[in-house]
Amino acid sequence: MLNIYNLSVSFQGEYLFEEISFQLKGGDRVGLIGKNGAGKSTLLKILSKEMQPDTGEMASDKSIKIGFLKQDIDFVQGRTVLEEAYEAFEEIKNVEQKMDDINHQLATRTDYESDSYHDLIVAISDLTHHYEIIGGYNYQGETEKILQGLGFKREDFQKKTETFSGGWRMRIELAKLLLQTNDILLLDEPTNHLDIESIIWLEGFLTNFPGAVVIVSHDKMFLNNVTNRTIEISLGRIYDYNKPYSQYLVLRQELREQQLASQKNQEKQIQQTERLIEKFRAKASKASMAQSLIKKLDKVDRIEVDEDDNAVMRLRFPISIQPGRVVVEAHKVSKNYGDNHVLDKVEMAIERGIKTAF
């Protein structure tokens, strides 16, 4: 489906990843993991062809369609939720427009016996057949099902998209992506704005998706429930195993322990050989044997242990002025998005030293 070969990307002389290779095929549900800044979002942009690598190649069928859910979205003002979701069906909407134009001509023209009128009848027949094949009679019901799965109610369908918060607009963008006939889905933090019910629905959808899915997510449970393969970007290289997230971590640790044990045994053998070399060098009769051992030692492939990225970010926010005991105090705070009431007369106080999560 999609082949990636010797892909490299660097910024200011430092490689995010260097000469990485892997394949994506139908049924792959890949969890793309790594520390912040490892290059996960960059790799998604390269796979979507929004960004070019420094070196390397990507090969795929010309007909492959790739859908990319990004963190930033841009909506056209004035569309309803349904109208925005219908933007996923570009071909269907184009055929509908052509059918409307022809039907208008058939209704207004009176030259029923002319060749051109006959051509219009043939054209509308062909378009109607094509419209049925591409799902023209089913897309509206499918759109409503997807929107409801992502948490929208029927009464939301005719509301303008600008009356919704950024999180709900991201759900509309996700709905459009799922409605398209993509072969590969690239999802950057798809659960960030979803409630539990919507996450469960999305898990079921992706599990049954016949194409390939690549997911960047900090939601470990979501990765465990959806993925069947994990690719980790670490220190410029990738680790690729056909295991979901938690199983991959266990396997990776086991493999590293095996590498350490093998490396330890090899070092012991190398040290024994080096002692023999030093011993035989001192005797002229054993010099040829010493040279033979040196050549043998030079041919040994040294066992390497996969490095762990233990770098951590340390932040410090110095206080210029010591605040009072109460840092934030709110009284009767309300917020609406159109008719959607998200906050209603909230009372809250945050005191100095308190760690608050929303």
Side-chain angles (χ1 to χ4, degrees):
M1 186 173 280
L2 184 62
N3 296 316
I4 293 88
Y5 179 70
N6 279 354
L7 218 62
S8 298
V9 171
S10 63
F11 289 102
Q12 298 179 344
E14 293 289 330
Y15 279 102
L16 272 180
F17 36 83
E18 185 176 9
E19 295 185 350
I20 63 172
S21 300
F22 60 94
Q23 293 181 331
L24 292 176
K25 58 184 183 299
D28 281 345
R29 299 187 299 278
V30 180
L32 183 60
I33 66 172
K35 289 195 170 184
N36 289 338
K40 302 184 297 295
S41 295
T42 298
L43 184 54
L44 288 186
K45 290 178 182 177
I46 291 173
L47 295 178
S48 70
K49 301 179 182 178
E50 284 194 3
M51 179 178 174
Q52 294 297 316
D54 295 337
T55 59
E57 298 177 359
M58 288 201 310
S60 66
D61 296 335
K62 289 184 178 180
S63 60
I64 280 287
K65 293 180 66 176
I66 299 175
F68 183 19
L69 179 71
K70 298 176 286 187
Q71 291 294 321
D72 54 324
I73 53 175
D74 186 22
F75 279 102
V76 175
Q77 296 282 326
R79 287 178 183 159
T80 66
V81 171
L82 268 183
E83 287 170 343
E84 185 64 43
Y86 288 160
E87 290 298 304
F89 303 99
E90 184 178 355
E91 184 180 7
I92 289 177
K93 302 304 288 183
N94 288 336
V95 173
E96 281 184 343
Q97 183 61 54
K98 291 178 181 178
M99 290 171 64
D100 288 343
D101 291 343
I102 293 175
N103 280 324
H104 177 72
Q105 292 185 59
L106 290 173
T108 56
R109 288 175 57 166
T110 58
D111 54 332
Y112 309 123
E113 303 299 326
S114 66
D115 291 340
S116 60
Y117 195 89
H118 178 265
D119 290 342
L120 289 175
I121 294 175
V122 173
I124 194 65
S125 177
D126 292 342
L127 282 172
T128 301
H129 179 64
H130 181 60
Y131 185 73
E132 181 178 4
I133 290 174
I134 62 176
Y137 296 112
N138 302 319
Y139 80 95
Q140 294 180 342
E142 189 66 20
T143 300
E144 293 183 9
K145 184 174 75 172
I146 296 288
L147 288 172
Q148 288 178 314
L150 292 174
F152 288 93
K153 299 176 182 178
R154 283 192 172 277
E155 52 264 34
D156 296 327
F157 291 170
Q158 299 305 324
K159 293 178 181 177
K160 303 295 184 183
T161 57
E162 57 264 30
T163 64
F164 289 87
S165 66
W168 282 94
R169 280 185 281 178
M170 182 61 76
R171 294 191 192 203
I172 302 172
E173 193 67 16
L174 177 57
K176 288 163 60 179
L177 193 70
L178 301 182
L179 287 164
Q180 294 167 354
T181 54
N182 291 303
D183 301 292
I184 299 175
L185 294 177
L186 309 175
L187 307 178
D188 195 354
E189 299 290 355
T191 64
N192 269 7
H193 303 287
L194 302 182
D195 54 24
I196 293 175
E197 290 80 7
S198 298
I199 290 174
I200 293 172
W201 179 89
L202 181 60
E203 288 175 355
F205 182 96
L206 295 177
T207 300
N208 294 312
F209 181 69
V213 185
V214 182
I215 304 167
V216 172
S217 177
H218 288 87
D219 188 335
K220 297 176 183 178
M221 184 177 293
F222 179 73
L223 289 175
N224 282 330
N225 290 341
V226 173
T227 63
N228 55 16
R229 179 180 171 190
T230 301
I231 296 178
E232 179 183 9
I233 304 176
S234 179
L235 299 173
R237 59 177 297 188
I238 63 169
Y239 301 90
D240 185 358
Y241 292 94
N242 291 319
K243 297 288 184 183
Y245 178 73
S246 292
Q247 292 181 34
Y248 161 76
L249 292 181
V250 173
L251 178 61
R252 177 107 148 76
Q253 183 61 31
E254 290 175 351
L255 290 172
R256 193 169 188 278
E257 289 172 359
Q258 291 173 11
Q259 288 175 339
L260 284 168
S262 299
Q263 186 187 58
K264 187 176 180 180
N265 289 333
Q266 187 186 60
E267 283 296 324
K268 189 182 296 184
Q269 293 173 5
I270 289 172
Q271 289 171 8
Q272 290 174 351
T273 302
E274 288 174 340
R275 283 195 294 268
L276 285 173
I277 291 170
E278 290 301 318
K279 181 179 177 181
F280 292 158
R281 272 177 173 168
K283 300 178 181 179
S285 61
K286 300 287 187 180
S288 61
M289 187 174 291
Q291 287 299 317
S292 176
L293 289 173
I294 291 172
K295 291 179 180 178
K296 181 180 178 181
L297 201 59
D298 288 340
K299 294 179 180 179
V300 171
D301 288 329
R302 304 294 176 115
I303 295 172
E304 295 183 356
V305 178
D306 294 337
E307 292 184 75
D308 278 336
D309 187 356
N310 297 315
V312 295
M313 181 182 291
R314 299 186 183 277
L315 299 177
R316 185 170 176 270
F317 300 99
I319 300 174
S320 58
I321 300 175
Q322 183 71 16
R325 185 176 66 86
V326 178
V327 179
V328 176
E329 192 168 5
H331 294 289
K332 296 183 178 179
V333 174
S334 300
K335 175 63 179 176
N336 301 330
Y337 289 95
D339 296 331
N340 187 22
H341 305 286
V342 292
L343 298 175
D344 186 22
K345 297 180 181 178
V346 171
E347 299 282 340
M348 180 181 67
I350 299 177
E351 298 183 358
R352 175 162 42 91
I354 297 296
K355 308 295 189 296
T356 305
F358 290 98

